Structure formats: structure tokens, C-alpha cells
Amino acid sequence: MVWIETPESSNIARFGYDDTSQILTVEFNNGGTYNYYDVQNIVFEQMKAASSKGQFLARNIKGIYRYARV
């Protein structure tokens, strides 16, 4: 898994994606880590390109994909 560090984000510390399992893993600044399941690679690419990773997560991932705290 390749991790994308997000020092500019007030909410997300880093995130990574496993293409084989289609799992997006997000580590938050508060210490929580969550897996989001069945996320297509294009969504990961869009998140990498987003100017605000936290806003992208809130609008395009939370409430749409199954998730679990790790």
C-alpha cells in the first residue's frame, strides 16, 4: 500500500489504497484509522487530486462506502 501524507489537512494525517482489495485506509489526526470498502481506484485518484482531502472524504466517501474502524 502506498501512503499519501497530508500535512496540510486539519483532519486527515494520511491515507492509502490497496488496489487488489479495493480498500481505502484513512488515518485521522485524532488517531483513528478507518477502512472504506469497495472503493474504486478512480475515487482514490480523485481524492489524491482534491484540494481538500477532508471535504472530498465527507462528500464522496463517508455515507457511501461500507467502513470499519481498524
Side-chain angles (χ1 to χ4, degrees), residues 9 12-13 28 39-40 53 60-61 63-64 70:
S9 176
I12 298 173
F28 292 91
V39 177
Q40 297 89 357
K53 311 308 188 227
N60 300 286
I61 296 172
I64 297 171
V70 180

Side-chain angles (χ1 to χ4, degrees), residues 15-42:
F15 62 98
Y17 182 73
D18 184 307
D19 196 44
T20 304
S21 61
Q22 292 190 313
I23 295 174
L24 174 70
T25 302
V26 180
E27 289 186 8
F28 292 91
N29 289 330
N30 68 7
T33 302
Y34 289 82
N35 282 340
Y36 295 88
Y37 301 99
D38 303 317
V39 177
Q40 297 89 357
N41 183 268
I42 187 68

